[in-house]
Amino acid sequence: MAQSPTRIETVMQTIQSRITSRTYPPGTRLPSVRALAKTLGFSVSTVVEAYERLAAENVIRARQGSGFYVCGPMPPLALSDIEPRADRAIDPLWVSRQALEAGPDTLKPGCGWLPDDWMYEAGMRRALRSLAQSRNARLVDYATPQGLPELRQLLARRMAALDIEAPPRQILLADSSTQAIDLICRLLLEPGDTVLVDDPCYFNFHALLRAHRATATGIPMTPSGPDTAAFETALRQHKPRLYITNSGIHNPTGAILSPLTAHRLLKLADSAGLIIVEDDIFADFEIHPAPRLAAFDGLSNVIHIGSFSKTVSASLRCGYIAARADWIDQLTDLKIATAFGGGHLAAAAMLSTLTDSGYRKHLEALRNRLAAAMETAVARLGRLGIVPWLVPQAGMFLWCQLPHGIDAAGIARACLKQGVVLAPGNVFSQSLSASGFLRFNVAQCGDERIFSVLSRTLSQAA
Amino acid sequence: MAQSPTRIETVMQTIQSRITSRTYPPGTRLPSVRALAKTLGFSVSTVVEAYERLAAENVIRARQGSGFYVCGPMPPLALSDIEPRADRAIDPLWVSRQALEAGPDTLKPGCGWLPDDWMYEAGMRRALRSLAQSRNARLVDYATPQGLPELRQLLARRMAALDIEAPPRQILLADSSTQAIDLICRLLLEPGDTVLVDDPCYFNFHALLRAHRATATGIPMTPSGPDTAAFETALRQHKPRLYITNSGIHNPTGAILSPLTAHRLLKLADSAGLIIVEDDIFADFEIHPAPRLAAFDGLSNVIHIGSFSKTVSASLRCGYIAARADWIDQLTDLKIATAFGGGHLAAAAMLSTLTDSGYRKHLEALRNRLAAAMETAVARLGRLGIVPWLVPQAGMFLWCQLPHGIDAAGIARACLKQGVVLAPGNVFSQSLSASGFLRFNVAQCGDERIFSVLSRTLSQAA
């Protein structure tokens, strides 16, 4: 456009302020383009563009051959449109909503993601720029049901590096790993089925299983994976249909599956006809990759899923499912029925980011930064008597025990009032046996205020 | 980057071809960066960048302090990774998969979207470019659970223009209108519930309701909306929980709801405690807006949903739900549980595109282009004895009757073998009473071959 953007904005602001002051009440016909141009001493095209933009925002409306009219009034954004509600009960969705809805001034050591400036924003910008310019970018059409073949091929190569054999036709792209598990639950669960989860486990698994009317049963976690004796008992007692777990870096404990535990688990699952969903979203944090259940099992009873929300971007939704070919076909039908297309643009941007040679360097820097943050957080929390259950090899989470007798939910409620979102243990625990635990995200623990708020709140509770 | 992209690609291709020819079998250590740079006469940094990119694609792998190694073999993309299967039974998912999986040479008069170059690609490119440059674009973090407040505000204004009062806090962003209906079904349906749909209706409603184990019952369509007598009988007989419909431009018939029918429907629904989902995805095609049920009802028992997949982009997933505040809160919880965050980037790009003053001009041009395409398609189909049930005021669909006694599914199967994807009537019809109908997308009817294939197939069938 040839017109100066400042002039267009001046016209827009002039009109907008006359509408706000009710000089132009709703229904008023605006001055003609020509008349206003003359009054303001601007060109006709400047005023036309300003009117068009106001019409695009539905502030004014064009009537064929009769000019522009002021639309009905619309209240400005209210606080309730933006602010989280603080009055909810503490349940799995409490943490999600408090963390997702928090304003920029809130401190979020309880949230499950990295600060913006730890993510691969440079790569995202490059990817968007290149998509905006690309001639054959498919910016407007639906993706194919299984999703961008080139991204599936790259994912196949990435999984091969973890010894998982998953050809592209056995991979289905999803919008996130949460959607991936949701589709799997739709395919494999009946209401009332029992699903095994780790205790503690990612709290949203509880919310998701509740939405499927499934009964979750927790398996106690050990530093090398789930307790296999408890696993065996649960198989016998509950005849579960699914088991959902993280092998790489377990959320929230940071535990890492050992080959021994992996082998035992798979033997037990196999004899019980149990299907395992292995959620691998923390893969890119790992320094020495843990064994993967999907590698041992050859994608026969294990379904392997993941996404890049933790290391590339959570703003652009893109996850995946690797599974048996017949399941992938049925999952594809379910994806069409419940979401129609996938996000083609998200997949293209993710492909571009992951094959950008900078991503590997970003990950190296990120792992170092996380290791340093982990060390600092352990020391700072230690001074408050908050002790990690284990110090993980990698990743962002520290699963910590509070001083004896202190209730984590009470601390979380009190800290929220002081602008600090914490993740109290029982939202992770099916058996509600983690009331003395908090999960900390070390990457979100850089601000001194977190520790002063915690210290004050702990001494009031003691 | 300072290096020439061509040189980097030359190095990548050299290595890749040696891997393919098994000069470098899996596990081989690649020449050192320095040695290869000398051999090829390129700079060290060129070779480093080429190795980094191959490593990013998982073709080779770096081992700390010991150089780069060839990864295990990975088969190239197989045909089965890209091509649709032609052997499925003709059901609602048949049309979706054939149309979504079709290659670029396939003709798709049966599909439900516009050709790429009819969409607002210029606006999308502008939006992506501006997001890539923007300082405060949130390119990497999760969206707030209800979604970008500024987009919700714009949607509120757009709905106000249709006399629907929906303040931003009563709007929830979804990834698509399909996801919107899916969330509503999760909230309001129990397995076994009856849901009323129009007969015919958008075929994916059938697939979606099946995924929720709901029973769909069809209400015959008239040119001014559903048959209210049949609606009344269905309410009495089936005690349905929901009714899903399009008021603006009905898919597939092009019918437009009249104020009289709207008023009767709402009176009947109100006395039966029925909730109505009004899917408004074709709103931007309308020339004279039809009445909206959500406007008459004030969002008390009507839920209004929509998306921009039909006029802006289907590659970037973004839809919305406007409903009672308490439902929006519960739907938000369900969205977190089953999809976690929404796509922040998709919402930001959609906001930018919709407020771009070019969008209104794009829509005007689009409506004119569709009107012309409609006229041509009616004439061409008429010559083959294929007659529209009505000629719609606007939109892309023509619901057409075949010459007497000819079965649309048979024609669709035969045309598919000749590279033409059709949409046979019964996939839209709950009562399977539309075996003599086809839905045509006039925007996808530009190619003469469609009519020659149809003509030949019809005369073989007659």
Side-chain angles (χ1 to χ4, degrees):
Chain A
M1 313 260 155
Q3 310 95 343
S4 139
T6 333
R7 290 189 175 177
I8 296 168
E9 276 160 25
T10 306
V11 180
M12 289 174 74
Q13 279 155 16
T14 307
I15 299 296
Q16 189 80 67
S17 71
R18 288 181 193 172
I19 292 173
T20 310
S21 67
R22 300 187 72 81
T23 312
Y24 295 163
T28 309
R29 186 171 176 280
L30 292 190
S32 79
V33 165
R34 210 161 287 276
L36 187 64
K38 204 170 162 193
T39 315
L40 297 176
F42 290 164
S43 74
V44 166
S45 61
T46 300
V47 178
V48 166
E49 180 65 21
Y51 277 19
E52 289 285 354
R53 287 198 198 168
L54 287 168
E57 290 177 15
N58 282 72
V59 172
I60 63 175
R61 192 192 315 210
R63 283 194 208 147
Q64 205 79 42
S66 119
F68 287 87
Y69 292 78
V70 178
C71 291
M74 180 55 55
L77 277 177
L79 203 62
S80 61
D81 297 326
I82 320 167
E83 290 275 294
R85 280 168 44 196
D87 60 349
R88 289 181 68 112
I90 293 195
D91 66 4
L93 285 162
W94 181 90
V95 181
S96 305
R97 290 193 74 151
Q98 293 304 338
L100 288 169
E101 292 173 359
D105 297 331
T106 308
L107 300 166
K108 292 176 295 197
C111 86
W113 53 89
L114 298 177
D116 276 16
D117 56 354
W118 292 48
M119 300 287 282
Y120 194 39
E121 192 169 337
M124 281 295 303
R125 284 187 197 278
R126 258 199 302 278
L128 291 181
R129 222 157 33 226
S130 112
L131 281 172
Q133 281 158 10
S134 151
R135 280 224 190 134
N136 56 0
R138 298 169 62 194
L139 300 181
V140 290
D141 61 352
Y142 288 96
T144 54
Q146 269 188 255
L148 194 64
E150 293 80 2
L151 180 57
R152 287 187 282 127
Q153 191 175 33
L154 177 71
L155 291 171
R157 288 212 194 104
R158 284 176 54 101
M159 284 187 258
L162 292 168
D163 299 317
I164 300 168
E165 270 186 66
R169 73 189 163 77
Q170 281 181 246
I171 300 173
L172 171 67
L173 298 190
D175 289 334
S176 60
S177 64
T178 307
Q179 193 206 25
I181 302 180
D182 187 46
L183 288 170
I184 293 164
C185 288
R186 284 184 196 265
L187 178 66
L188 298 174
L189 291 188
E190 298 287 323
D193 275 354
T194 295
V195 174
L196 302 184
V197 292
D198 299 318
D199 191 348
C201 73
Y202 172 42
F203 48 76
N204 206 47
F205 291 163
H206 298 140
L208 179 63
L209 290 173
R210 209 181 295 153
H212 285 275
R213 299 157 198 241
T215 309
T217 294
I219 305 296
M221 206 55 189
T222 80
S224 59
D227 180 321
T228 49
F231 194 81
E232 187 168 10
T233 310
L235 288 182
R236 217 174 29 240
Q237 282 183 352
H238 302 290
K239 311 253 173 277
R241 179 87 175 120
L242 281 183
Y243 168 51
I244 307 178
T245 191
N246 311 119
S247 305
I249 303 169
H250 179 257
N251 179 6
T253 62
I256 286 177
L257 188 68
S258 72
L260 181 67
T261 308
H263 178 65
R264 279 193 189 154
L265 272 184
L266 285 170
K267 257 181 32 186
L268 290 168
D270 196 42
S271 60
L274 177 79
I275 299 162
I276 299 179
V277 178
E278 183 174 50
D279 181 4
D280 210 26
I281 49 164
F282 300 107
D284 280 349
F285 290 118
E286 281 185 301
I287 294 163
H288 306 293
R292 295 300 197 268
L293 294 168
F296 285 37
D297 164 80
L299 289 186
S300 108
N301 288 312
V302 175
I303 302 176
H304 190 78
I305 67 163
S307 87
F308 301 93
S309 304
K310 302 304 173 188
T311 45
V312 178
S313 168
S315 176
L316 226 163
R317 310 298 288 152
C318 188
Y320 60 90
I321 306 175
R324 273 165 39 182
D326 56 331
W327 285 345
I328 289 294
D329 198 50
Q330 292 170 285
L331 289 166
T332 305
D333 278 353
L334 279 170
K335 178 177 149 187
I336 294 174
T338 60
F340 208 65
H344 190 85
L345 205 134
M350 205 52 83
L351 175 67
S352 160
T353 312
L354 292 172
T355 54
D356 177 337
S357 63
Y359 183 55
R360 228 165 57 88
K361 289 171 208 156
H362 160 73
L363 286 181
E364 271 176 36
L366 184 56
R367 287 188 208 110
N368 292 335
R369 198 169 177 185
L370 277 169
M374 182 76 76
E375 209 178 303
T376 313
V378 169
R380 281 175 165 177
L381 290 167
R383 270 174 239 137
L384 304 178
I386 302 175
V387 184
W389 182 71
L390 65 75
V391 178
Q393 206 182 90
M396 61 177 130
F397 296 130
L398 264 182
W399 179 242
C400 293
Q401 186 144 27
L402 291 174
H404 185 69
I406 292 184
D407 175 53
I411 298 292
R413 224 177 263 116
C415 286
L416 181 63
K417 288 189 193 133
Q418 300 166 77
V420 177
V421 177
L422 293 174
N426 273 352
V427 305
F428 301 88
S429 171
Q430 192 53 32
S431 62
L432 301 179
S433 58
S435 65
F437 284 81
L438 285 170
R439 185 193 71 180
F440 285 91
N441 176 341
V442 299
Q444 300 276 5
C445 283
D447 195 310
E448 259 308 336
R449 279 180 296 161
I450 293 168
F451 300 92
S452 55
V453 166
L454 256 177
S455 168
R456 202 178 326 130
T457 312
L458 282 174
S459 45
Q460 281 160 0
Chain B
M1 311 260 156
Q3 311 95 340
S4 139
T6 334
R7 289 189 176 177
I8 296 168
E9 276 161 25
T10 306
V11 179
M12 290 174 74
Q13 279 155 17
T14 307
I15 299 296
Q16 189 81 66
S17 73
R18 288 182 192 171
I19 292 173
T20 311
S21 68
R22 301 188 70 81
T23 311
Y24 295 163
T28 308
R29 185 171 177 280
L30 293 190
S32 77
V33 165
R34 210 163 287 276
L36 189 65
K38 204 170 163 195
T39 314
L40 297 175
F42 290 165
S43 73
V44 166
S45 62
T46 300
V47 177
V48 166
E49 181 65 21
Y51 277 19
E52 289 285 355
R53 288 199 198 168
L54 287 168
E57 291 177 13
N58 282 72
V59 171
I60 63 175
R61 191 193 314 210
R63 284 198 208 143
Q64 205 79 40
S66 119
F68 287 88
Y69 292 79
V70 178
C71 291
M74 181 53 57
L77 278 176
L79 203 62
S80 61
D81 297 326
I82 320 169
E83 291 273 294
R85 280 169 44 195
D87 59 350
R88 290 180 69 112
I90 293 195
D91 66 5
L93 286 163
W94 182 91
V95 181
S96 304
R97 290 192 74 153
Q98 293 304 337
L100 288 169
E101 293 172 0
D105 297 332
T106 308
L107 300 166
K108 293 176 293 197
C111 87
W113 53 91
L114 298 177
D116 276 15
D117 55 354
W118 292 49
M119 300 287 283
Y120 195 39
E121 192 169 336
M124 280 296 303
R125 283 185 198 281
R126 258 199 302 279
L128 291 181
R129 225 163 24 233
S130 112
L131 281 172
Q133 281 159 10
S134 152
R135 281 224 190 133
N136 57 0
R138 298 168 61 195
L139 302 181
V140 290
D141 61 353
Y142 288 96
T144 55
Q146 269 189 252
L148 193 65
E150 293 81 1
L151 180 56
R152 287 187 282 126
Q153 192 174 33
L154 177 71
L155 291 172
R157 287 211 196 106
R158 284 176 53 101
M159 284 187 260
L162 291 168
D163 300 317
I164 300 168
E165 270 185 65
R169 72 189 163 76
Q170 280 180 249
I171 300 174
L172 170 67
L173 297 190
D175 290 333
S176 61
S177 64
T178 307
Q179 194 207 23
I181 302 180
D182 187 47
L183 287 171
I184 293 163
C185 288
R186 285 186 197 263
L187 178 66
L188 298 173
L189 291 187
E190 297 287 322
D193 274 355
T194 295
V195 175
L196 301 185
V197 292
D198 300 317
D199 191 350
C201 74
Y202 172 42
F203 49 77
N204 206 46
F205 291 164
H206 298 140
L208 180 63
L209 291 173
R210 209 180 297 153
H212 285 277
R213 300 159 197 240
T215 308
T217 293
I219 306 296
M221 206 58 191
T222 81
S224 59
D227 181 319
T228 48
F231 193 81
E232 187 169 8
T233 310
L235 287 182
R236 216 175 28 241
Q237 281 182 352
H238 302 290
K239 312 253 175 274
R241 180 87 175 118
L242 281 184
Y243 168 50
I244 308 178
T245 191
N246 312 119
S247 305
I249 304 168
H250 179 256
N251 179 5
T253 64
I256 286 178
L257 188 69
S258 73
L260 181 67
T261 309
H263 178 65
R264 279 194 189 152
L265 272 186
L266 285 171
K267 258 182 32 187
L268 289 169
D270 196 41
S271 61
L274 177 79
I275 299 161
I276 300 180
V277 179
E278 183 174 50
D279 180 5
D280 210 28
I281 49 164
F282 301 107
D284 280 349
F285 290 118
E286 281 185 303
I287 293 164
H288 307 294
R292 295 299 197 267
L293 295 168
F296 284 38
D297 164 80
L299 289 187
S300 110
N301 287 310
V302 174
I303 302 176
H304 190 77
I305 66 162
S307 88
F308 302 93
S309 303
K310 301 303 174 190
T311 45
V312 178
S313 167
S315 176
L316 227 163
R317 311 298 287 151
C318 188
Y320 59 89
I321 306 175
R324 272 164 41 182
D326 57 332
W327 285 344
I328 289 293
D329 198 49
Q330 291 170 287
L331 289 166
T332 305
D333 277 353
L334 279 170
K335 179 176 149 188
I336 294 174
T338 61
F340 209 65
H344 190 86
L345 205 135
M350 205 52 83
L351 175 67
S352 160
T353 312
L354 292 172
T355 54
D356 177 338
S357 64
Y359 182 57
R360 228 165 58 89
K361 290 170 207 155
H362 160 74
L363 285 181
E364 270 177 36
L366 184 57
R367 287 187 207 111
N368 293 335
R369 198 171 178 185
L370 276 169
M374 182 77 77
E375 210 177 303
T376 313
V378 169
R380 280 177 165 176
L381 290 167
R383 271 175 238 135
L384 303 178
I386 302 176
V387 184
W389 182 72
L390 64 75
V391 178
Q393 205 181 92
M396 61 177 128
F397 295 131
L398 264 183
W399 179 242
C400 293
Q401 187 144 27
L402 291 175
H404 185 68
I406 291 184
D407 174 56
I411 297 293
R413 224 178 263 117
C415 286
L416 181 64
K417 288 189 193 133
Q418 300 166 79
V420 177
V421 177
L422 294 174
N426 273 352
V427 305
F428 301 88
S429 171
Q430 191 55 30
S431 62
L432 301 180
S433 58
S435 65
F437 283 80
L438 284 171
R439 185 192 71 182
F440 286 91
N441 177 340
V442 301
Q444 300 276 5
C445 283
D447 195 310
E448 257 310 335
R449 279 180 296 161
I450 292 168
F451 300 92
S452 55
V453 165
L454 256 178
S455 168
R456 202 179 326 131
T457 312
L458 283 173
S459 46
Q460 281 161 1

